[in-house]
Amino acid sequence: MLKRADRKKTGYQKAIALIVGCILLFSGCNYNYHTGLKLEAEGRFEEANIEFHRAYTRSPNDEDFRDAFLRTAQKTTEDLLKRYEQYVKEKKYAIAFRRLEQARTLSPHDARISLELKKWYRILVAGKLDLVQIKSLNNQIPLSDQIILMVRINSPNALRRLDAPVNYQTGTFYVEDILYDPPQDLLMMYSLNSIGVKLIDNATRNERFKGFVDFKTPVLIEVHGDLTGNDQGLVAIDRFYPADRLRQSNASDFWYPSRGIRYALLLDADAIKVTSSVDRIGFLPQILYMNKKERRYFLDFGHLQLFQKKTGGIWSFRRLIDDKRDYLSVLEKNLLLHTYFFYREGGYPYVQK
């Protein structure tokens, strides 16, 4: 047992520690608050808001801290919305959407933000890739610290490619995109760019891409027509897969993709009819699923296969029409992607005209 003097000493130590802690906490709040005032005076509202938020979080009953946080939150929202509008004009959609999300976090009840959010659509691009008759990639590519099998997708922005890493265990790949108030024609610009490996040097962080097959950017010449469809309520995408129709339009043999492909599309009510310079359509998605109410689209590229006749030789390509589409159940296990696997207006297969 502690002696009386020892107990008294321990009590003093605890009291001193509590007082010091309170002083440090109070000083921290004051430091953040005064730093915020300085930043606000300089017109740096977003940085000031961060400092006021720190002070307000530590002392939620302090009215000065609360008022400063709310005041700069509104100013920051206005600034974010101005930058958002400019990024939309410049078609820098990814950055624009991030600014809008920031503004919503600060001002969740702002009617302007709610209205703008309804104009944004999310797109999922996904499928499966198999490498057929290949022993090892290690003796065919330069030595690298990281080797990532990759499917590259052309997007509506001609300067931007979407990189979809391939899961080595399941063969599945996916990547998400976002578009601002897109017309149907814009959705028709997603196509295969290339399939290969991304090579990463950990020491220098240098990255380069080595392609196995390369379509570059197929040129969309024209789009006519319209896709029709009424809201049918939520329908699971695995309930619509016109396999026979897809087989008629997708060659069963392997072929060697070429560059300079040109294609035209007819949006013919319930299907997307394709005319291409190579008389093949495997470089395009196999089905587009629409869910306008939730502002989501799913572009299913299907089951892709690469074939190499001999080690070190050139690669050929095909799309395998697989009735089971097991890769969908693998992708659907990702809870963040779950809402993409239901459509409302319809599923629209890409078929040869």
Side-chain angles (χ1 to χ4, degrees):
M1 295 181 62
L2 291 174
K3 295 182 179 179
R4 182 176 180 182
D6 290 335
R7 289 199 301 272
K8 189 174 182 180
K9 182 179 179 181
T10 300
Y12 284 147
Q13 289 174 337
K14 290 182 178 178
I16 292 172
L18 181 61
I19 293 170
V20 171
C22 291
I23 291 173
L24 289 174
L25 178 62
F26 181 73
S27 299
C29 294
N30 270 312
Y31 172 78
N32 294 130
Y33 177 69
H34 290 298
T35 300
L37 290 175
K38 181 181 177 182
L39 292 168
E40 184 181 13
E42 296 172 0
R44 296 159 64 182
F45 302 122
E46 188 172 354
E47 296 171 77
N49 183 254
I50 293 172
E51 295 297 333
F52 289 142
H53 182 262
R54 288 170 179 164
Y56 179 43
T57 300
R58 290 172 178 169
S59 299
N61 295 322
D62 191 300
E63 293 185 2
D64 289 338
F65 295 172
R66 182 197 62 196
D67 292 344
F69 169 69
L70 295 176
R71 179 178 68 247
T72 51
Q74 184 58 39
K75 291 179 179 179
T76 302
T77 297
E78 296 297 332
D79 184 54
L80 287 169
L81 288 177
K82 287 180 182 178
R83 283 187 278 167
Y84 161 77
E85 291 171 358
Q86 185 60 38
Y87 286 132
V88 168
K89 288 179 182 178
E90 296 172 0
K91 297 185 178 180
K92 297 178 179 178
Y93 295 130
I95 303 175
F97 188 72
R98 286 199 295 270
R99 295 296 175 267
L100 187 63
E101 289 278 83
Q102 285 179 270
R104 180 176 66 168
T105 300
L106 290 172
S107 303
H109 305 298
D110 191 300
R112 295 167 300 170
I113 296 173
S114 298
L115 183 62
E116 283 301 306
L117 283 170
K118 293 178 181 179
K119 298 177 182 179
W120 287 91
Y121 287 73
R122 293 183 179 275
I123 294 91
L124 175 67
V125 175
K128 179 179 179 179
L129 175 68
D130 285 337
L131 302 183
V132 182
Q133 195 170 310
I134 174 70
K135 294 181 179 179
S136 174
L137 290 177
N138 293 330
N139 59 356
Q140 300 182 49
I141 57 180
L143 184 64
S144 301
D145 295 314
Q146 295 185 56
I147 302 172
I148 304 173
L149 187 60
M150 190 81 65
V151 176
R152 281 191 160 175
I153 306 293
N154 294 307
S155 77
N157 184 339
L159 301 177
R160 188 167 60 92
R161 310 283 180 269
L162 305 176
D163 284 352
V166 178
N167 185 303
Y168 282 103
Q169 292 182 327
T170 64
T172 57
F173 64 87
Y174 75 87
V175 62
E176 290 183 275
D177 198 14
I178 188 165
L179 292 178
Y180 179 76
D181 201 15
Q184 286 185 1
D185 290 8
L186 208 59
L187 295 170
M188 302 301 130
M189 300 186 73
Y190 289 94
S191 64
L192 283 177
N193 175 274
S194 55
I195 301 173
V197 288
K198 180 184 285 188
L199 309 174
I200 302 175
D201 186 315
N202 289 339
T204 62
R205 304 309 301 170
N206 286 336
E207 297 183 4
R208 58 196 179 101
F209 184 81
K210 177 179 174 59
F212 299 147
V213 298
D214 194 356
F215 295 93
K216 290 299 183 184
T217 305
V219 178
L220 177 58
I221 302 171
E222 59 183 0
V223 183
H224 291 299
D226 191 23
L227 297 176
T228 59
N230 299 315
D231 189 338
Q232 310 168 52
L234 289 177
V235 181
I237 62 173
D238 58 9
R239 292 182 58 185
F240 178 76
Y241 188 64
D244 290 339
R245 196 173 184 185
L246 291 171
R247 284 193 185 93
Q248 293 174 5
S249 294
N250 288 269
S252 60
D253 60 318
F254 285 91
W255 58 290
Y256 298 98
S258 59
R259 304 179 186 183
I261 295 175
R262 299 165 69 83
Y263 67 104
L265 301 176
L266 171 62
L267 310 184
D268 191 15
D270 63 351
I272 302 167
K273 295 184 176 179
V274 186
T275 303
S276 78
S277 59
V278 291
D279 292 325
R280 294 176 184 262
I281 65 171
F283 58 92
L284 293 171
Q286 67 173 354
I287 300 181
L288 164 64
Y289 293 97
M290 283 191 177
N291 184 350
K292 290 184 178 180
K293 186 173 183 179
E294 278 80 27
R295 301 186 299 281
R296 293 181 184 269
Y297 296 108
F298 175 34
L299 288 161
D300 178 12
F301 271 80
H303 187 169
L304 309 179
Q305 293 186 321
L306 296 188
F307 177 76
Q308 191 180 43
K309 190 172 184 179
K310 61 179 181 178
T311 302
I314 59 176
W315 294 82
S316 56
F317 165 88
R318 75 172 178 179
R319 175 156 54 214
L320 179 66
I321 304 304
D322 180 1
D323 295 69
K324 293 182 178 180
R325 289 199 294 175
D326 293 334
Y327 59 91
L328 291 181
S329 60
V330 175
L331 291 167
E332 197 173 2
K333 290 178 181 177
N334 185 333
L335 295 180
L336 296 177
L337 304 180
H338 185 73
T339 53
Y340 286 108
F341 293 89
F342 298 88
Y343 68 91
R344 286 181 177 274
E345 288 73 29
Y348 305 93
Y350 287 71
V351 296
Q352 277 194 299
K353 187 175 177 182

